[in-house]
PDB file of all heavy atoms in Angstrom:
ATOM      1  N   VAL A   1     -25.277   4.969  -3.216  1.00 97.00           N
ATOM      2  CA  VAL A   1     -24.722   6.288  -2.974  1.00 97.00           C
ATOM      3  C   VAL A   1     -23.425   6.168  -2.155  1.00 97.00           C
ATOM      4  O   VAL A   1     -23.452   5.611  -1.052  1.00 97.00           O
ATOM      5  CB  VAL A   1     -25.732   7.181  -2.214  1.00 97.00           C
ATOM      6  CG1 VAL A   1     -25.178   8.585  -2.072  1.00 97.00           C
ATOM      7  CG2 VAL A   1     -27.076   7.193  -2.917  1.00 97.00           C
ATOM      8  N   GLY A   2     -22.345   6.689  -2.672  1.00 95.00           N
ATOM      9  CA  GLY A   2     -21.103   6.720  -1.943  1.00 95.00           C
ATOM     10  C   GLY A   2     -21.101   7.912  -0.974  1.00 95.00           C
ATOM     11  O   GLY A   2     -20.667   9.007  -1.317  1.00 95.00           O
ATOM     12  N   VAL A   3     -21.596   7.696   0.231  1.00 97.00           N
ATOM     13  CA  VAL A   3     -21.614   8.740   1.253  1.00 97.00           C
ATOM     14  C   VAL A   3     -20.194   8.964   1.827  1.00 97.00           C
ATOM     15  O   VAL A   3     -19.778  10.085   2.065  1.00 97.00           O
ATOM     16  CB  VAL A   3     -22.637   8.414   2.371  1.00 97.00           C
ATOM     17  CG1 VAL A   3     -22.624   9.493   3.443  1.00 97.00           C
ATOM     18  CG2 VAL A   3     -24.016   8.219   1.797  1.00 97.00           C
ATOM     19  N   GLU A   4     -19.507   7.870   2.073  1.00 97.00           N
ATOM     20  CA  GLU A   4     -18.105   7.795   2.540  1.00 97.00           C
ATOM     21  C   GLU A   4     -17.977   8.149   4.030  1.00 97.00           C
ATOM     22  O   GLU A   4     -17.404   7.402   4.776  1.00 97.00           O
ATOM     23  CB  GLU A   4     -17.141   8.695   1.733  1.00 97.00           C
ATOM     24  CG  GLU A   4     -17.407   8.806   0.244  1.00 97.00           C
ATOM     25  CD  GLU A   4     -17.471   7.498  -0.510  1.00 97.00           C
ATOM     26  OE1 GLU A   4     -17.286   6.413   0.087  1.00 97.00           O
ATOM     27  OE2 GLU A   4     -17.760   7.531  -1.711  1.00 97.00           O
ATOM     28  N   THR A   5     -18.489   9.284   4.455  1.00 98.00           N
ATOM     29  CA  THR A   5     -18.372   9.722   5.831  1.00 98.00           C
ATOM     30  C   THR A   5     -19.427  10.759   6.174  1.00 98.00           C
ATOM     31  O   THR A   5     -19.887  11.493   5.260  1.00 98.00           O
ATOM     32  CB  THR A   5     -16.983  10.304   6.120  1.00 98.00           C
ATOM     33  OG1 THR A   5     -16.894  10.727   7.515  1.00 98.00           O
ATOM     34  CG2 THR A   5     -16.680  11.519   5.246  1.00 98.00           C
ATOM     35  N   GLY A   6     -19.793  10.841   7.430  1.00 98.00           N
ATOM     36  CA  GLY A   6     -20.688  11.920   7.878  1.00 98.00           C
ATOM     37  C   GLY A   6     -19.935  13.129   8.399  1.00 98.00           C
ATOM     38  O   GLY A   6     -20.550  14.100   8.859  1.00 98.00           O
ATOM     39  N   HIS A   7     -18.614  13.068   8.399  1.00 98.00           N
ATOM     40  CA  HIS A   7     -17.776  14.134   8.926  1.00 98.00           C
ATOM     41  C   HIS A   7     -17.375  15.094   7.803  1.00 98.00           C
ATOM     42  O   HIS A   7     -16.522  14.765   6.971  1.00 98.00           O
ATOM     43  CB  HIS A   7     -16.537  13.565   9.599  1.00 98.00           C
ATOM     44  CG  HIS A   7     -15.688  14.547  10.322  1.00 98.00           C
ATOM     45  ND1 HIS A   7     -16.179  15.440  11.249  1.00 98.00           N
ATOM     46  CD2 HIS A   7     -14.342  14.825  10.227  1.00 98.00           C
ATOM     47  CE1 HIS A   7     -15.222  16.207  11.728  1.00 98.00           C
ATOM     48  NE2 HIS A   7     -14.077  15.832  11.108  1.00 98.00           N
ATOM     49  N   ASP A   8     -17.971  16.264   7.777  1.00 98.00           N
ATOM     50  CA  ASP A   8     -17.778  17.175   6.658  1.00 98.00           C
ATOM     51  C   ASP A   8     -16.330  17.598   6.416  1.00 98.00           C
ATOM     52  O   ASP A   8     -15.887  17.649   5.273  1.00 98.00           O
ATOM     53  CB  ASP A   8     -18.653  18.417   6.829  1.00 98.00           C
ATOM     54  CG  ASP A   8     -20.128  18.128   6.646  1.00 98.00           C
ATOM     55  OD1 ASP A   8     -20.464  16.979   6.291  1.00 98.00           O
ATOM     56  OD2 ASP A   8     -20.947  19.060   6.841  1.00 98.00           O
ATOM     57  N   PRO A   9     -15.528  17.894   7.466  1.00 97.00           N
ATOM     58  CA  PRO A   9     -14.130  18.245   7.209  1.00 97.00           C
ATOM     59  C   PRO A   9     -13.337  17.101   6.517  1.00 97.00           C
ATOM     60  O   PRO A   9     -12.497  17.363   5.677  1.00 97.00           O
ATOM     61  CB  PRO A   9     -13.575  18.527   8.592  1.00 97.00           C
ATOM     62  CG  PRO A   9     -14.775  18.973   9.387  1.00 97.00           C
ATOM     63  CD  PRO A   9     -15.894  18.127   8.884  1.00 97.00           C
ATOM     64  N   LEU A  10     -13.672  15.845   6.869  1.00 97.00           N
ATOM     65  CA  LEU A  10     -13.012  14.740   6.205  1.00 97.00           C
ATOM     66  C   LEU A  10     -13.452  14.645   4.755  1.00 97.00           C
ATOM     67  O   LEU A  10     -12.644  14.412   3.854  1.00 97.00           O
ATOM     68  CB  LEU A  10     -13.317  13.425   6.920  1.00 97.00           C
ATOM     69  CG  LEU A  10     -12.813  12.116   6.258  1.00 97.00           C
ATOM     70  CD1 LEU A  10     -11.331  12.174   5.985  1.00 97.00           C
ATOM     71  CD2 LEU A  10     -13.164  10.917   7.105  1.00 97.00           C
ATOM     72  N   LEU A  11     -14.732  14.863   4.492  1.00 97.00           N
ATOM     73  CA  LEU A  11     -15.225  14.821   3.114  1.00 97.00           C
ATOM     74  C   LEU A  11     -14.538  15.889   2.277  1.00 97.00           C
ATOM     75  O   LEU A  11     -14.150  15.629   1.116  1.00 97.00           O
ATOM     76  CB  LEU A  11     -16.747  15.008   3.094  1.00 97.00           C
ATOM     77  CG  LEU A  11     -17.497  14.461   1.876  1.00 97.00           C
ATOM     78  CD1 LEU A  11     -17.368  12.961   1.810  1.00 97.00           C
ATOM     79  CD2 LEU A  11     -18.952  14.844   1.949  1.00 97.00           C
ATOM     80  N   ARG A  12     -14.358  17.076   2.848  1.00 96.00           N
ATOM     81  CA  ARG A  12     -13.656  18.137   2.108  1.00 96.00           C
ATOM     82  C   ARG A  12     -12.213  17.739   1.874  1.00 96.00           C
ATOM     83  O   ARG A  12     -11.641  18.027   0.806  1.00 96.00           O
ATOM     84  CB  ARG A  12     -13.727  19.455   2.871  1.00 96.00           C
ATOM     85  CG  ARG A  12     -15.125  20.086   2.860  1.00 96.00           C
ATOM     86  CD  ARG A  12     -15.077  21.531   3.322  1.00 96.00           C
ATOM     87  NE  ARG A  12     -14.742  21.611   4.752  1.00 96.00           N
ATOM     88  CZ  ARG A  12     -15.622  21.574   5.722  1.00 96.00           C
ATOM     89  NH1 ARG A  12     -16.914  21.416   5.462  1.00 96.00           N
ATOM     90  NH2 ARG A  12     -15.226  21.699   6.981  1.00 96.00           N
ATOM     91  N   TRP A  13     -11.567  17.091   2.846  1.00 96.00           N
ATOM     92  CA  TRP A  13     -10.181  16.659   2.714  1.00 96.00           C
ATOM     93  C   TRP A  13     -10.067  15.605   1.615  1.00 96.00           C
ATOM     94  O   TRP A  13      -9.027  15.524   0.959  1.00 96.00           O
ATOM     95  CB  TRP A  13      -9.698  16.087   4.067  1.00 96.00           C
ATOM     96  CG  TRP A  13      -8.205  15.927   4.142  1.00 96.00           C
ATOM     97  CD1 TRP A  13      -7.256  16.901   4.262  1.00 96.00           C
ATOM     98  CD2 TRP A  13      -7.500  14.687   4.098  1.00 96.00           C
ATOM     99  NE1 TRP A  13      -6.013  16.362   4.322  1.00 96.00           N
ATOM    100  CE2 TRP A  13      -6.138  14.998   4.214  1.00 96.00           C
ATOM    101  CE3 TRP A  13      -7.873  13.364   4.003  1.00 96.00           C
ATOM    102  CZ2 TRP A  13      -5.126  14.024   4.234  1.00 96.00           C
ATOM    103  CZ3 TRP A  13      -6.880  12.367   4.010  1.00 96.00           C
ATOM    104  CH2 TRP A  13      -5.545  12.693   4.128  1.00 96.00           C
ATOM    105  N   LEU A  14     -11.111  14.859   1.406  1.00 96.00           N
ATOM    106  CA  LEU A  14     -11.146  13.860   0.321  1.00 96.00           C
ATOM    107  C   LEU A  14     -11.496  14.464  -1.017  1.00 96.00           C
ATOM    108  O   LEU A  14     -11.555  13.755  -2.025  1.00 96.00           O
ATOM    109  CB  LEU A  14     -12.139  12.745   0.675  1.00 96.00           C
ATOM    110  CG  LEU A  14     -11.857  11.933   1.936  1.00 96.00           C
ATOM    111  CD1 LEU A  14     -12.996  10.995   2.241  1.00 96.00           C
ATOM    112  CD2 LEU A  14     -10.543  11.167   1.810  1.00 96.00           C
ATOM    113  N   ASN A  15     -11.800  15.769  -1.014  1.00 95.00           N
ATOM    114  CA  ASN A  15     -12.160  16.509  -2.230  1.00 95.00           C
ATOM    115  C   ASN A  15     -13.445  15.938  -2.847  1.00 95.00           C
ATOM    116  O   ASN A  15     -13.570  15.831  -4.071  1.00 95.00           O
ATOM    117  CB  ASN A  15     -11.040  16.512  -3.267  1.00 95.00           C
ATOM    118  CG  ASN A  15     -11.234  17.557  -4.345  1.00 95.00           C
ATOM    119  OD1 ASN A  15     -11.733  18.649  -4.062  1.00 95.00           O
ATOM    120  ND2 ASN A  15     -10.850  17.255  -5.565  1.00 95.00           N
ATOM    121  N   LYS A  16     -14.416  15.612  -1.983  1.00 95.00           N
ATOM    122  CA  LYS A  16     -15.687  15.134  -2.472  1.00 95.00           C
ATOM    123  C   LYS A  16     -16.750  16.159  -2.051  1.00 95.00           C
ATOM    124  O   LYS A  16     -16.948  16.428  -0.865  1.00 95.00           O
ATOM    125  CB  LYS A  16     -16.034  13.772  -1.901  1.00 95.00           C
ATOM    126  CG  LYS A  16     -17.295  13.170  -2.474  1.00 95.00           C
ATOM    127  CD  LYS A  16     -17.380  11.690  -2.298  1.00 95.00           C
ATOM    128  CE  LYS A  16     -18.533  11.105  -3.072  1.00 95.00           C
ATOM    129  NZ  LYS A  16     -18.553   9.630  -3.070  1.00 95.00           N
ATOM    130  N   PRO A  17     -17.474  16.742  -3.000  1.00 94.00           N
ATOM    131  CA  PRO A  17     -18.494  17.740  -2.682  1.00 94.00           C
ATOM    132  C   PRO A  17     -19.620  17.132  -1.842  1.00 94.00           C
ATOM    133  O   PRO A  17     -19.850  15.936  -1.826  1.00 94.00           O
ATOM    134  CB  PRO A  17     -18.990  18.212  -4.038  1.00 94.00           C
ATOM    135  CG  PRO A  17     -17.914  17.847  -4.991  1.00 94.00           C
ATOM    136  CD  PRO A  17     -17.295  16.586  -4.435  1.00 94.00           C
ATOM    137  N   GLY A  18     -20.361  18.015  -1.198  1.00 92.00           N
ATOM    138  CA  GLY A  18     -21.508  17.594  -0.414  1.00 92.00           C
ATOM    139  C   GLY A  18     -21.198  17.646   1.078  1.00 92.00           C
ATOM    140  O   GLY A  18     -20.241  18.262   1.495  1.00 92.00           O
ATOM    141  N   GLY A  19     -22.017  17.006   1.864  1.00 96.00           N
ATOM    142  CA  GLY A  19     -21.859  16.988   3.302  1.00 96.00           C
ATOM    143  C   GLY A  19     -22.978  16.220   3.929  1.00 96.00           C
ATOM    144  O   GLY A  19     -23.883  15.701   3.256  1.00 96.00           O
ATOM    145  N   ALA A  20     -22.954  16.133   5.258  1.00 98.00           N
ATOM    146  CA  ALA A  20     -23.956  15.328   5.982  1.00 98.00           C
ATOM    147  C   ALA A  20     -25.369  15.852   5.771  1.00 98.00           C
ATOM    148  O   ALA A  20     -26.301  15.071   5.559  1.00 98.00           O
ATOM    149  CB  ALA A  20     -23.609  15.311   7.459  1.00 98.00           C
ATOM    150  N   ASP A  21     -25.558  17.168   5.788  1.00 97.00           N
ATOM    151  CA  ASP A  21     -26.911  17.718   5.594  1.00 97.00           C
ATOM    152  C   ASP A  21     -27.437  17.383   4.191  1.00 97.00           C
ATOM    153  O   ASP A  21     -28.598  17.007   4.035  1.00 97.00           O
ATOM    154  CB  ASP A  21     -26.915  19.206   5.800  1.00 97.00           C
ATOM    155  CG  ASP A  21     -26.737  19.588   7.267  1.00 97.00           C
ATOM    156  OD1 ASP A  21     -26.949  18.737   8.161  1.00 97.00           O
ATOM    157  OD2 ASP A  21     -26.387  20.773   7.521  1.00 97.00           O
ATOM    158  N   GLU A  22     -26.570  17.543   3.202  1.00 97.00           N
ATOM    159  CA  GLU A  22     -26.956  17.224   1.822  1.00 97.00           C
ATOM    160  C   GLU A  22     -27.274  15.740   1.680  1.00 97.00           C
ATOM    161  O   GLU A  22     -28.260  15.387   1.006  1.00 97.00           O
ATOM    162  CB  GLU A  22     -25.855  17.641   0.847  1.00 97.00           C
ATOM    163  CG  GLU A  22     -25.673  19.124   0.668  1.00 97.00           C
ATOM    164  CD  GLU A  22     -24.738  19.698   1.704  1.00 97.00           C
ATOM    165  OE1 GLU A  22     -24.449  19.048   2.713  1.00 97.00           O
ATOM    166  OE2 GLU A  22     -24.291  20.858   1.503  1.00 97.00           O
ATOM    167  N   ALA A  23     -26.479  14.898   2.310  1.00 97.00           N
ATOM    168  CA  ALA A  23     -26.710  13.448   2.242  1.00 97.00           C
ATOM    169  C   ALA A  23     -28.058  13.101   2.858  1.00 97.00           C
ATOM    170  O   ALA A  23     -28.830  12.281   2.304  1.00 97.00           O
ATOM    171  CB  ALA A  23     -25.592  12.684   2.896  1.00 97.00           C
ATOM    172  N   ALA A  24     -28.341  13.697   4.028  1.00 98.00           N
ATOM    173  CA  ALA A  24     -29.622  13.398   4.709  1.00 98.00           C
ATOM    174  C   ALA A  24     -30.802  13.836   3.836  1.00 98.00           C
ATOM    175  O   ALA A  24     -31.806  13.106   3.725  1.00 98.00           O
ATOM    176  CB  ALA A  24     -29.671  14.091   6.050  1.00 98.00           C
ATOM    177  N   GLU A  25     -30.731  14.998   3.244  1.00 98.00           N
ATOM    178  CA  GLU A  25     -31.830  15.494   2.395  1.00 98.00           C
ATOM    179  C   GLU A  25     -31.987  14.624   1.137  1.00 98.00           C
ATOM    180  O   GLU A  25     -33.101  14.303   0.725  1.00 98.00           O
ATOM    181  CB  GLU A  25     -31.548  16.946   1.991  1.00 98.00           C
ATOM    182  CG  GLU A  25     -31.641  17.911   3.152  1.00 98.00           C
ATOM    183  CD  GLU A  25     -31.253  19.314   2.732  1.00 98.00           C
ATOM    184  OE1 GLU A  25     -31.038  19.544   1.523  1.00 98.00           O
ATOM    185  OE2 GLU A  25     -31.163  20.227   3.626  1.00 98.00           O
ATOM    186  N   PHE A  26     -30.847  14.201   0.575  1.00 97.00           N
ATOM    187  CA  PHE A  26     -30.931  13.414  -0.654  1.00 97.00           C
ATOM    188  C   PHE A  26     -31.505  12.036  -0.394  1.00 97.00           C
ATOM    189  O   PHE A  26     -32.373  11.564  -1.120  1.00 97.00           O
ATOM    190  CB  PHE A  26     -29.536  13.292  -1.266  1.00 97.00           C
ATOM    191  CG  PHE A  26     -29.506  12.480  -2.529  1.00 97.00           C
ATOM    192  CD1 PHE A  26     -30.407  12.692  -3.539  1.00 97.00           C
ATOM    193  CD2 PHE A  26     -28.554  11.479  -2.712  1.00 97.00           C
ATOM    194  CE1 PHE A  26     -30.393  11.943  -4.716  1.00 97.00           C
ATOM    195  CE2 PHE A  26     -28.518  10.714  -3.858  1.00 97.00           C
ATOM    196  CZ  PHE A  26     -29.456  10.967  -4.868  1.00 97.00           C
ATOM    197  N   VAL A  27     -31.050  11.362   0.692  1.00 98.00           N
ATOM    198  CA  VAL A  27     -31.592  10.054   0.985  1.00 98.00           C
ATOM    199  C   VAL A  27     -33.075  10.131   1.300  1.00 98.00           C
ATOM    200  O   VAL A  27     -33.870   9.295   0.871  1.00 98.00           O
ATOM    201  CB  VAL A  27     -30.809   9.399   2.157  1.00 98.00           C
ATOM    202  CG1 VAL A  27     -31.487   8.102   2.617  1.00 98.00           C
ATOM    203  CG2 VAL A  27     -29.358   9.118   1.717  1.00 98.00           C
ATOM    204  N   ALA A  28     -33.482  11.171   2.023  1.00 98.00           N
ATOM    205  CA  ALA A  28     -34.898  11.361   2.322  1.00 98.00           C
ATOM    206  C   ALA A  28     -35.713  11.544   1.036  1.00 98.00           C
ATOM    207  O   ALA A  28     -36.827  11.033   0.902  1.00 98.00           O
ATOM    208  CB  ALA A  28     -35.101  12.560   3.231  1.00 98.00           C
ATOM    209  N   CYS A  29     -35.152  12.232   0.045  1.00 98.00           N
ATOM    210  CA  CYS A  29     -35.808  12.446  -1.224  1.00 98.00           C
ATOM    211  C   CYS A  29     -35.966  11.120  -1.966  1.00 98.00           C
ATOM    212  O   CYS A  29     -37.047  10.809  -2.500  1.00 98.00           O
ATOM    213  CB  CYS A  29     -34.995  13.429  -2.066  1.00 98.00           C
ATOM    214  SG  CYS A  29     -35.622  13.695  -3.743  1.00 98.00           S
ATOM    215  N   LEU A  30     -34.918  10.294  -2.000  1.00 98.00           N
ATOM    216  CA  LEU A  30     -34.971   9.006  -2.664  1.00 98.00           C
ATOM    217  C   LEU A  30     -36.017   8.096  -2.016  1.00 98.00           C
ATOM    218  O   LEU A  30     -36.816   7.412  -2.694  1.00 98.00           O
ATOM    219  CB  LEU A  30     -33.622   8.314  -2.634  1.00 98.00           C
ATOM    220  CG  LEU A  30     -32.503   8.996  -3.452  1.00 98.00           C
ATOM    221  CD1 LEU A  30     -31.175   8.268  -3.216  1.00 98.00           C
ATOM    222  CD2 LEU A  30     -32.841   8.961  -4.950  1.00 98.00           C
ATOM    223  N   LYS A  31     -36.032   8.110  -0.670  1.00 98.00           N
ATOM    224  CA  LYS A  31     -37.001   7.253   0.020  1.00 98.00           C
ATOM    225  C   LYS A  31     -38.420   7.729  -0.200  1.00 98.00           C
ATOM    226  O   LYS A  31     -39.344   6.933  -0.359  1.00 98.00           O
ATOM    227  CB  LYS A  31     -36.665   7.203   1.514  1.00 98.00           C
ATOM    228  CG  LYS A  31     -35.308   6.554   1.861  1.00 98.00           C
ATOM    229  CD  LYS A  31     -35.238   5.133   1.325  1.00 98.00           C
ATOM    230  CE  LYS A  31     -36.299   4.255   1.938  1.00 98.00           C
ATOM    231  NZ  LYS A  31     -36.313   2.897   1.344  1.00 98.00           N
TER     232      LYS A  31
END
């Protein structure tokens, strides 16, 4: 999974959807 960063404003600046909360929920689901 390309998380890239936990800083949501930076993720938006990179034009990548999602965010730290979504990443945490998704990784927990996979595990």
